[in-house]
């Protein structure tokens, strides 16, 4: 399955698959299957992460932002679910972080190619403290070093090394390490390289001419060889710094295989070298290094003979928090004292002195809520104020409150035996928490979806309407983007049943357009005159809703339903393959009659015109797309100038999934839309000429 998803993603990345199909794949992978536990959805979620990484940048644009936000909201909730395997949760977390980083992968996924020589040298200096000298580009230096025809040997330039050049380039046995396993390079002193004054901070690139090569049996006696050897040592000692002259005069027997102290370097002690920098601080300007003891003596490790006595710091005495049973008793005592004295400062100080661990805070808040349930409304209000004050003091968080609230809800069956109205009281706590911005409405609604603890969410809305007002609650509810149908039991998740339940709870004001849908159709059937319809809309619908997409959708749906029922008076006529000429004329006349009302609300509003086209799409889908009906309406709307060309093309490109039947609708009108695009391009070319 994962391979198929990779293939689909690659096709989508190349624009060979429409975005709507990709959205459908993502929804299929995200939705919870019936009779399938969450821990068994690992394969689907892995495929989801794969397709998101592949086509996520293409789908994440302004038009589909709401859908992508819903997808990643669901992924965040799954990411924190402990029922899923850790690998799947980390895959989800990586995908969420990838979107937060604007779809730019982390460096680990970018910098995985081969490295250049310069990068390898820089990594060696940074990580190991070892500098690998570069070769001179564009010239073969071995030829000049080994050629017997040149009087003076040309030495290639090496980058300035600072203090390390004195260590590794000049001392006897200056290769890094000694023994048979060491690989020497051409710059190592053990390979017979002469001292280059450049590495000691002095000028000059030319070395004295080498002595002619002679074998030991060509007439030279040992005395002459010793003199030659001593003269070579004197010549070398002139080039050496003073601190190395003594070391150069030692015999081979005196050389110790123990590494000197200056060679034992840590990464923190190693100076950061930056290769290929022409100007560096000369050794004379650098601070003095720790002197190396003479060979043959044990190295001094820098320990003081009389170190100061070590003063041990007194251990901090931290009191362990009391056990949970004692903390619960202390919480109950704080609440009881607070309800009797009404002293907020004493209550906050009492909670602070408890020093409760973080994992105990939800249980502490649960105890506070339970202790106040049997008190009157005033007592519950005081406890709500106390919890909000604790949040402001930084002692608890909104997450702690939500955990405590859900814990009390789980105990409701037991609490209801003593407190029958426990859900109403908990609704008061939740309403006050939302008003105080302790939690948001969306955070409260998420664990109550699909009718969990029904009708607690509706009771909470009722309490907020009492504590504030309807207009404030309507604005807050719309901003929260909570799907009210999902808050109902699954059997009641339809518009008609939802409106019935909301009217029973006096909450229908949250959805003014749903009630309008039935009343407007009744008004059109009673008097279809356009003047009467417009006057009724003006008198009964708020001016703020006149530019609302939902209102336009209901207006167009009502007109389309009325026209359809006038054309087909019986079900037998509705099932005919094609309408008669008289029915087509009647349809056109009714559209012309409603044209002034449509233009009044749609003129110069392309987004509202797109909503009107979606209403037509849903209407056609509800009647199984009668042959030619959708195309007739498109042509009539265009000829009557009810809907503009720009709106038609915007509807074609839009990928909204909330309205069913988009694929079938495009199949019926795609040829006409292509003609419309061609005609528009030809007109623009003529105007340009």
């Amino acid at each position: 399955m994962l391979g198929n998803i990779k293939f689909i993603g690659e096709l989508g990345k190349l624009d060979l698959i429409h975005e709507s199909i990709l959205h459908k794949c993502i929804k299929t992978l995200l939705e919870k299957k019936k009779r399938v536990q969450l821990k068994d959805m690992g394969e689907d979620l892995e495929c989801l992460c794969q397709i998101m990484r592949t086509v996520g940048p293409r789908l994440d644009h302004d038009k589909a932002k709401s859908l992508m936000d819903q997808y990643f909201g669901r992924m965040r909730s799954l990411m924190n679910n402990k029922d899923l395997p850790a690998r799947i949760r980390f895959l989800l977390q990586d995908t969420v972080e990838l979107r937060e980083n604007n779809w730019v992968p982390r460096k680990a996924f970018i910098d995985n190619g081969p490295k250049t020589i310069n990068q390898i040298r820089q990594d060696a200096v940074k990580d190991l403290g070892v500098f690998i000298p570069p070769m001179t580009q564009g010239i073969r230096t071995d030829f000049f070093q080994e050629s017997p025809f040149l009087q003076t040997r040309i030495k290639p330039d090496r980058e300035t090394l600072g203090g390390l050049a004195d260590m590794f380039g000049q001392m006897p046995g200056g290769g890094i390490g000694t023994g048979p396993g060491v690989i020497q390079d051409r710059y190592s002193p053990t390979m017979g390289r002469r001292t280059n004054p450049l590495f000691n901070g002095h000028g000059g690139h030319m070395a004295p001419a080498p002595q002619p090569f002679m074998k030991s049996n060509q007439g030279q006696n040992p005395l002459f060889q010793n003199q030659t050897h001593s003269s070579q040592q004197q010549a070398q000692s002139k080039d050496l710094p003073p601190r190395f002259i003594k070391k150069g005069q030692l015999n081979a027997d005196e050389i110790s295989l123990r590494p000197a102290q200056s060679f034992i370097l840590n990464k923190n002690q190693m100076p950061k070298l930056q290769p290929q920098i022409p100007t560096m601080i000369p050794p004379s300007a650098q601070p003095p290094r720790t002197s190396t003891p003479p060979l043959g003596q044990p190295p001094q490790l820098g320990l003081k003979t009389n170190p100061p006595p070590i003063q041990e710091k007194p251990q901090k005495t931290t009191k362990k928090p009391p056990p949970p049973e004692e903390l619960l008793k202390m919480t109950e005592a704080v609440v009881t004292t607070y309800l009797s004295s009404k002293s907020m400062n004493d209550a906050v100080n009492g909670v602070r002195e408890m020093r409760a661990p973080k994992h105990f805070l939800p249980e502490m808040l649960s105890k506070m809520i339970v202790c106040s349930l049997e008190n009157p409304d005033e007592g519950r209000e005081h406890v709500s104020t106390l919890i909000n004050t604790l949040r402001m003091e930084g002692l608890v968080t909104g997450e702690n409150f939500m955990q405590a609230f859900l814990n009390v809800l789980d105990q409701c069956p037991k609490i209801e035996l003593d407190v029958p109205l426990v859900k109403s009281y908990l609704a008061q706590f939740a309403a006050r928490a939302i008003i105080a911005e302790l939690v948001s409405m969306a955070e409260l609604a998420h664990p109550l979806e699909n009718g969990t603890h029904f009708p607690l969410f509706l009771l909470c809305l009722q309490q907020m309407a009492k504590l504030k007002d309807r207009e404030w609650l309507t604005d807050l509810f719309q901003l929260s983007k909570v799907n009210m149908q999902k808050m109902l039991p699954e059997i009641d998740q339809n518009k008609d049943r939802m409106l019935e339940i909301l009217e029973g709870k006096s909450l229908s004001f949250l959805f003014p357009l749903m009630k309008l849908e039935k009343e407007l159709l009744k008004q059109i059937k009673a008097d279809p005159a356009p003047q009467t319809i417009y006057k009724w809309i003006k008198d009964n619908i708020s001016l703020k809703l006149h530019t609302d997409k939902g209102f336009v959708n209901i207006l167009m749906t009502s007109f389309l339903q009325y026209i359809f029922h006038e054309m087909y008076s019986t079900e037998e006529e509705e099932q005919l393959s094609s309408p008669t000429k008289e029915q087509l004329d009647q349809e056109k006349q009714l559209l012309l009659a409603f044209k002034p009302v449509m233009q009044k609300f749609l003129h110069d509003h392309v987004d509202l015109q797109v909503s009107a086209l979606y209403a037509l799409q849903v209407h056609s889908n509800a009647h199984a797309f009668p042959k030619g009906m959708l195309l007739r309406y498109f042509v009539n709307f265009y000829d009557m100038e009810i809907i503009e060309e720009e709106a038609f093309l915007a509807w074609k490109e839009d990928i909204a999934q909330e309205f069913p039947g988009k694929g079938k609708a495009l199949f019926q009108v795609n040829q006409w839309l292509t003609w419309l695009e061609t005609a528009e391009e030809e007109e623009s070319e003529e105007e340009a000429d």
Side-chain angles (χ1 to χ4, degrees):
M1 182 176 176
L2 183 60
N4 293 337
I5 290 296
K6 288 182 178 179
F7 181 63
I8 292 172
E10 293 298 330
L11 292 177
K13 190 164 65 173
L14 297 174
D15 291 339
L16 297 177
I17 295 181
H18 196 268
E19 290 188 11
S20 59
I21 299 176
L22 297 175
H23 281 285
K24 190 171 183 180
C25 293
I26 293 172
K27 288 181 179 179
T28 304
L29 295 172
L30 262 180
E31 66 184 6
K32 190 178 185 304
K33 279 71 176 177
K34 292 183 179 180
R35 300 179 183 177
V36 177
Q37 296 183 359
L38 187 61
K39 62 181 180 180
D40 298 330
M41 292 179 58
E43 185 180 5
D44 290 351
L45 296 178
E46 184 177 0
C47 294
L48 170 70
C49 295
Q50 175 63 41
I51 197 171
M52 275 296 187
R53 288 197 300 267
T54 307
V55 300
R58 178 192 169 193
L59 300 179
D60 197 6
H61 49 78
D62 294 339
K63 291 184 179 180
K65 186 177 184 302
S66 59
L67 286 175
M68 294 294 287
D69 291 342
Q70 294 176 20
Y71 300 155
F72 279 87
R74 171 71 172 157
M75 291 169 66
R76 287 189 185 92
S77 63
L78 293 172
M79 183 177 70
N80 299 321
N81 196 315
K82 301 298 182 182
D83 294 338
L84 289 172
R87 188 177 71 88
I88 302 300
R89 287 189 281 115
F90 291 145
L91 277 176
L92 292 169
Q93 183 178 353
D94 290 342
T95 309
V96 170
E97 291 176 354
L98 182 62
R99 189 195 184 207
E100 292 175 352
N101 199 26
N102 294 326
W103 302 101
V104 178
R106 291 181 296 183
K107 185 179 179 182
F109 297 101
I110 296 175
D111 191 12
N112 57 359
K115 295 184 178 181
T116 62
I117 295 297
N118 288 334
Q119 290 176 340
I120 293 175
R121 291 194 182 101
Q122 293 174 3
D123 291 345
V125 172
K126 184 188 301 182
D127 298 335
L128 305 176
V130 177
F131 180 74
I132 303 174
M135 297 295 296
T136 305
Q137 298 181 356
I139 184 170
R140 182 179 176 185
T141 56
D142 295 344
F143 176 80
F144 295 100
Q145 289 180 342
E146 300 172 0
S147 175
F149 302 103
L150 296 178
Q151 295 299 323
T152 60
R153 181 177 299 173
I154 301 176
K155 294 190 176 183
D157 291 339
R158 296 180 61 187
E159 294 178 6
T160 308
L161 301 182
L164 286 179
D166 294 335
M167 286 186 192
F168 299 118
Q170 298 293 342
M171 294 183 62
I176 301 175
T178 59
V182 178
I183 300 175
Q184 302 290 350
D185 61 358
R186 68 179 71 255
Y187 299 104
S188 174
T190 59
M191 299 296 289
R193 181 178 68 84
R194 280 183 176 274
T195 303
N196 191 343
L198 173 64
F199 299 144
N200 290 325
H202 307 291
H205 295 278
M206 306 299 293
Q211 297 291 333
F213 180 76
M214 296 181 65
K215 294 184 179 179
S216 59
N217 58 359
Q218 291 182 354
Q220 288 187 356
N221 56 22
L223 179 61
F224 179 77
Q225 291 181 359
N226 291 337
Q227 292 176 356
T228 305
H229 180 66
S230 61
S231 63
Q232 289 179 356
Q233 287 184 347
Q234 291 177 2
Q236 290 181 358
S237 64
K238 293 180 181 179
D239 296 335
L240 287 172
R243 59 183 181 277
F244 291 141
I245 294 176
K246 184 177 179 180
K247 300 181 182 61
Q249 297 175 356
L250 293 176
N251 296 328
D253 297 335
E254 297 178 1
I255 297 177
S256 174
L257 296 180
R258 181 188 298 275
Q261 181 183 0
S262 59
F263 282 80
I264 306 174
L265 298 175
N266 297 327
K267 284 179 64 176
N268 296 332
Q269 297 172 336
M270 182 65 63
K272 296 183 179 180
L273 300 180
Q274 298 180 355
Q276 299 180 358
I277 299 177
T279 57
M280 297 184 70
I281 302 175
S284 59
Q286 297 179 1
R289 301 183 184 86
T290 305
S291 59
T292 305
L295 296 177
Q297 296 183 9
Q300 299 294 329
L301 300 179
L303 298 177
K304 296 183 179 180
T305 56
N306 295 321
I310 300 175
Q311 297 180 357
E312 296 184 358
K313 295 183 178 180
Q315 296 181 354
K316 295 183 179 179
T317 57
T318 56
K319 294 182 179 180
K320 293 184 178 180
E325 296 79 6
E326 186 175 348
L327 288 173
L328 290 176
K329 292 180 181 179
M330 296 171 67
T331 303
E332 187 175 358
V334 168
V335 174
T336 305
T337 305
Y338 169 66
L339 292 177
S340 60
S341 65
K342 304 295 188 299
S343 176
M344 181 64 71
N345 292 332
D346 293 344
V348 173
N349 291 331
V351 173
R352 185 178 285 111
E353 291 172 358
M354 287 170 57
R355 296 180 180 178
K358 291 184 178 180
H359 64 83
F360 181 76
L361 295 179
E363 194 171 352
M364 180 187 73
L365 295 179
S366 301
K367 187 66 175 178
M368 290 183 177
I369 295 173
V370 172
C371 290
S372 65
L373 290 178
E374 297 183 358
N375 286 272
D377 292 345
E378 183 182 359
R380 291 190 292 273
E381 183 179 356
H382 284 305
V383 173
S384 297
T385 307
L386 172 61
I387 293 174
N388 187 41
T389 306
L390 292 176
R391 190 280 306 263
M392 296 173 64
E393 293 290 331
L395 299 176
V396 297
T397 63
E399 185 178 356
N400 297 145
F401 174 79
M402 278 304 304
Q403 294 177 2
F405 185 76
L406 296 176
N407 291 340
V408 178
L409 281 178
D410 294 337
Q411 304 173 24
C412 273
K414 296 180 181 179
I415 300 176
E416 281 180 340
L417 299 176
D418 299 326
V419 186
L421 299 178
V422 58
K423 286 189 177 180
S424 299
Y425 299 155
L426 290 177
Q428 294 178 2
F429 276 102
R432 291 191 176 98
I434 292 175
I435 293 173
E437 298 182 357
L438 182 61
V439 294
S440 65
M441 185 178 291
E443 291 173 342
L444 177 67
H446 181 68
L448 303 179
E449 289 182 352
N450 296 321
T452 307
H453 302 291
F454 182 80
L456 179 62
F457 185 73
L458 300 181
L459 295 175
C460 178
L461 295 177
Q462 286 180 329
Q463 293 295 330
M464 283 190 283
K466 291 179 182 178
L467 296 173
K468 299 289 285 186
D469 55 70
R470 290 187 172 188
E471 186 176 356
W472 175 86
L473 180 58
T474 303
D475 294 338
L476 181 65
F477 183 80
Q478 291 177 354
L479 289 174
S480 67
K481 297 182 180 179
V482 174
N483 189 340
M484 181 60 80
Q485 288 190 33
K486 287 188 176 181
M487 306 310 299
L488 304 178
E490 292 186 2
I491 194 173
D492 297 326
Q493 290 184 3
N494 58 76
K495 287 187 177 181
D496 295 335
R497 181 60 181 153
M498 183 182 77
L499 184 59
E500 182 181 346
I501 293 174
L502 292 178
E503 287 179 349
K505 297 292 183 181
S506 301
L507 294 172
S508 59
F509 64 88
L510 294 173
F511 299 91
L513 297 177
M514 289 185 63
K515 193 173 182 180
L516 169 68
E517 188 173 356
K518 294 183 178 180
E519 295 180 355
L520 181 58
L521 184 58
K522 291 179 181 178
Q523 178 62 33
I524 295 174
K525 289 180 179 180
D527 189 356
Q531 296 84 358
T532 307
I533 296 172
Y534 180 73
K535 185 177 183 304
W536 184 89
I537 292 174
K538 192 175 180 180
D539 295 339
N540 293 274
I541 299 176
S542 172
L543 186 64
K544 184 173 64 174
L545 295 176
H546 288 184
T547 56
D548 186 85
K549 293 182 180 180
F551 164 71
V552 171
N553 191 294
I554 292 173
L555 179 67
M556 294 298 298
T557 302
S558 302
F559 284 147
L560 293 171
Q561 288 179 355
Y562 177 78
I563 293 173
F564 190 82
H565 289 301
E566 288 294 318
M567 288 178 59
Y568 305 103
S569 57
T570 62
E571 293 183 0
E572 295 180 358
E573 295 180 358
E574 182 179 340
Q575 294 175 357
L576 293 175
S577 59
S578 60
T580 62
K581 184 178 180 182
E582 291 77 9
Q583 289 174 331
L584 294 177
D585 292 339
Q586 184 184 8
E587 179 184 70
K588 193 170 185 178
Q589 292 301 322
L590 289 173
L591 277 177
L592 287 172
F594 295 138
K595 173 184 173 181
V597 182
M598 295 181 185
Q599 287 182 332
K600 181 67 177 178
F601 294 104
L602 300 179
H603 185 63
D604 289 338
H605 294 283
V606 176
D607 55 338
L608 299 182
Q609 294 176 21
V610 174
S611 298
L613 291 176
Y614 273 118
L616 175 59
Q617 170 190 318
V618 174
H619 173 74
S620 301
N621 184 72
H623 295 282
F625 286 96
K627 185 177 180 181
M629 185 181 75
L630 187 64
L631 180 59
R632 288 199 313 271
Y633 274 106
F634 269 52
V635 174
N636 288 330
F637 283 159
Y638 179 72
D639 292 340
M640 296 178 187
E641 297 182 352
I642 297 174
I643 295 180
E644 304 170 9
E645 299 173 3
E646 186 179 354
F648 284 111
L649 301 179
W651 173 83
K652 178 186 176 182
E653 299 296 332
D654 193 30
I655 58 172
Q657 299 293 317
E658 53 185 314
F659 303 105
K662 181 66 175 288
K664 293 182 179 179
L666 281 173
F667 182 76
Q668 289 195 1
V669 299
N670 190 45
Q671 188 174 359
W672 183 81
L673 291 174
T674 304
W675 167 83
L676 185 64
E677 286 180 326
T678 307
E680 186 179 5
E681 292 176 359
E682 291 177 355
E683 290 179 1
S684 60
E685 290 177 359
E686 290 178 0
E687 291 177 359
D689 294 339

